[in-house]
Every structure is written in structure tokens, then in C-alpha cells.
Amino acid sequence: MPDYDIITPRLGLRNWTKNDAVAYHVLCNDSEVMRYFPFLLSMNQVNDFIVRMQRGYSKNGYCYFAADLIETGQFIGFIGISYQDFESDYTPNVDIGWRLSREHWNKGLATEGAQACLDAAKDNWNIDTVYSFASLANEGSIRVMQKIGMKQVGTFVHPKIIDYPAISECVVYKNI
């Protein structure tokens, strides 16, 4: 069994390895999974993401963790927290996020993992305030934010996707 940082009844959340790249690349090339993002990810972008997560993990002890199903060990995406410092009224902050393969949607896995990450943020890393961002159109992610007890605190145009008006206006949630 991998060395999981967070274990829930169905999920193991862990640091990333090079072995996650192919599965994550497949996930990030599913147009439905990436519907609220500006583009599909190349293998180079996937590898860069994994390196960023590993660096964040080494520096802070957390990241957007690679998520496995405990029962099978199958990699299904990520759930976790990450430091954000892009230019906005809501940053810098620690953000919670998730991205799961489509076959694992609507099973409560994102909610289960996100709740465990919120708990760990406070208990393991002394992080009291966590934000979450999603395109206004991303109703699935907004529902997860609500289910884990976060409250909407605003909206903004995300500077990293300002050139993509269909998704650039984002909602901001915060654990309160």
C-alpha cells in the first residue's frame, strides 16, 4: 500500500510520483473533465504540474494530492490543498481543489476527500482559512464546496484565464 497522507473510507491521498503522469494525462485530455478549464493538458504540462505538486508537498507537507481508490489502488485524479498567489482580492491563500476522472463523478468521492483535506488543513497544518474557486458555470464543484460547509464570499475574473470569457468569471468560497 502506498504511503498515504490522508485516508478516508474510500480514498487514499498521497504525494505524486512519475508513475501518475500517464493516467493524469488521460484524465486531463477528457474534454468533459476539462470543460471548465481553458485547454487540455499536454504531457509536458502534466509533468510540470506533478513537479509543482511535489515541490509544494516538500515545502508545505501538502499539495493537490494524487487520489487513489483504497479498494483497488486505482489513481482517479487529485483532491487537496495548495498555496495560491495569483493576483486577486482573495490571494494569497490556501485553496482546496479536486479533479476526478469522469467515471468517479457523482459518487461523493470529491466531497469525501475534500472534507478530509479541510479537516487535515486545520488539524495537521494549522491552516484555519481555506478558499475554493470555480467557474460560475461549474455547478458540480460548487455543490462540493457547499457540501463541505464552505460559504460563498464573492466572485472575480480569474487572471490566469481572463482570455477565456466563458469560464473566467469565478465564484469564491471560504470555510467559515
Side-chain angles (χ1 to χ4, degrees), residues 1-13 70 112 116:
M1 177 183 275
D3 188 18
Y4 291 119
D5 292 88
I6 298 173
I7 298 175
T8 72
R10 298 180 291 168
L11 297 169
L13 305 180
I70 290 287
E112 181 178 316

Side-chain angles (χ1 to χ4, degrees), residues 5-126:
D5 292 88
I6 298 173
I7 298 175
T8 72
R10 298 180 291 168
L11 297 169
L13 305 180
R14 60 176 172 76
N15 194 7
W16 293 77
T17 71
K18 293 182 295 188
N19 296 333
D20 297 318
V22 171
Y24 189 57
H25 183 253
V26 169
L27 185 150
C28 291
N29 277 273
D30 180 324
S31 58
E32 190 61 23
V33 169
M34 299 300 286
R35 178 185 207 176
Y36 302 108
F37 296 90
F39 44 79
L40 305 179
L41 299 186
S42 69
M43 186 56 88
N44 284 339
Q45 290 167 316
V46 163
N47 288 327
D48 289 348
F49 173 86
I50 291 172
V51 168
R52 272 195 327 276
M53 292 304 106
Q54 291 170 328
R55 284 185 187 141
Y57 183 90
S58 292
K59 180 179 179 183
N60 303 311
Y62 57 82
C63 64
Y64 293 142
F65 295 106
D68 297 334
L69 291 177
I70 290 287
E71 187 175 319
T72 64
Q74 177 189 7
F75 170 87
I76 64 166
F78 74 73
I79 305 170
I81 59 175
S82 186
Y83 179 77
Q84 300 294 334
D85 62 0
F86 58 84
E87 188 71 31
S88 85
D89 291 342
Y90 302 98
T91 51
N93 69 43
V94 173
D95 161 71
I96 188 166
W98 44 85
R99 182 177 302 161
L100 300 180
S101 58
R102 195 175 352 160
E103 72 238 36
H104 299 292
W105 291 0
N106 300 312
K107 296 179 180 180
L109 292 167
T111 302
E112 181 178 316
Q115 185 63 63
C117 287
L118 265 187
D119 295 343
K122 185 173 186 169
D123 297 342
N124 299 356
W125 300 293
N126 297 313

Side-chain angles (χ1 to χ4, degrees), residues 36 134-139 142 152 154-155 167 169-171:
Y36 302 108
S135 172
L136 283 173
N138 190 342
E139 294 174 3
I142 293 168
Q152 184 176 348
T155 61
I167 60 170
E169 190 168 357
C170 292
V171 65

Side-chain angles (χ1 to χ4, degrees), residues 121-153:
K122 185 173 186 169
D123 297 342
N124 299 356
W125 300 293
N126 297 313
I127 300 168
D128 291 322
T129 304
V130 178
Y131 287 81
S132 192
F133 308 107
S135 172
L136 283 173
N138 190 342
E139 294 174 3
S141 282
I142 293 168
R143 274 194 308 275
V144 172
M145 294 172 198
Q146 293 167 344
K147 286 179 183 179
I148 62 174
M150 298 183 95
K151 303 295 181 203
Q152 184 176 348
V153 295

